[in-house]
Amino acid sequence: MTLLEMMVVVAIIAFIAALSYPGVARGMERIRLRVAADDVAAFLSQAMSRVDRTESPIELRFVKAKATIEMAGPDMPLRTLRLPDGVALSEVYPVPEDGPQAEPSVLLLPGGAFPSLRVELSTLNAGQRSVRIDPVTGVPVIDFNHPPAAVVP
């Protein structure tokens, strides 16, 4: 095998790698988005079970600028869920009557029904995922093909 043949093989491998990179990068974003949606669903579930267990209110704050969700209550330290890099909090529904807020918050009260809450996560290239609390069962559900943004389930 000559040096020229080896260089041709390396060039072919580099060309194939360059062609496949965008697909691999988009796949990694999809994985990050799926993991973030799973983490948000688990965090919301943890908040709701803590309300039931301790019978004290908990406030959930959605900090869009930092891509974090904070959970605070009277008898607990602040807990924070940081979303993976590249995943953003697009919107939190329902939107208050006075319009979208930079840091929307939701108060979970013991003994009451859980709110009809929906959190939309997005990435630059991989699209969106929606995590909502089913108000009937109180279970977080991840929607991969969610309804249009104007409709609140």
Side-chain angles (χ1 to χ4, degrees):
M1 185 165 6
T2 66
L3 181 61
L4 182 62
E5 291 171 335
M6 260 174 89
M7 289 178 63
V8 168
V9 169
V10 169
I12 290 171
I13 291 173
F15 180 72
I16 292 172
L19 284 178
S20 66
Y21 177 75
V24 170
R26 198 169 27 255
M28 292 301 291
E29 273 193 30
R30 283 189 191 122
I31 290 171
R32 261 190 237 114
L33 187 59
R34 181 170 291 173
V35 167
D38 290 341
D39 289 346
V40 169
F43 196 74
L44 294 176
S45 180
Q46 180 184 17
M48 292 183 300
S49 68
R50 189 166 191 101
V51 167
D52 284 340
R53 195 173 63 245
T54 63
E55 294 188 5
S56 62
I58 289 189
E59 179 186 16
L60 292 172
R61 284 187 298 270
F62 301 90
V63 185
K64 294 180 185 179
K66 296 180 183 178
T68 60
I69 302 173
E70 299 174 346
M71 177 188 341
D75 301 327
M76 66 174 279
L78 178 71
R79 292 182 182 224
T80 303
L81 171 67
R82 177 171 290 286
L83 297 177
D85 291 337
V87 178
L89 278 168
S90 299
E91 194 59 64
V92 178
Y93 292 99
V95 176
E97 294 176 4
D98 56 344
Q101 299 174 343
E103 291 186 17
S105 65
V106 174
L107 186 62
L108 302 176
L109 299 172
F114 291 110
S116 177
L117 176 69
R118 190 174 85 216
V119 180
E120 286 190 0
L121 308 173
S122 65
T123 63
L124 194 57
N125 296 319
Q128 293 184 334
R129 296 289 185 264
S130 180
V131 180
R132 64 181 171 86
I133 297 177
D134 186 352
V136 175
T137 62
V139 175
V141 177
I142 300 171
D143 293 328
F144 296 103
N145 296 322
H146 59 279
V151 177
V152 176

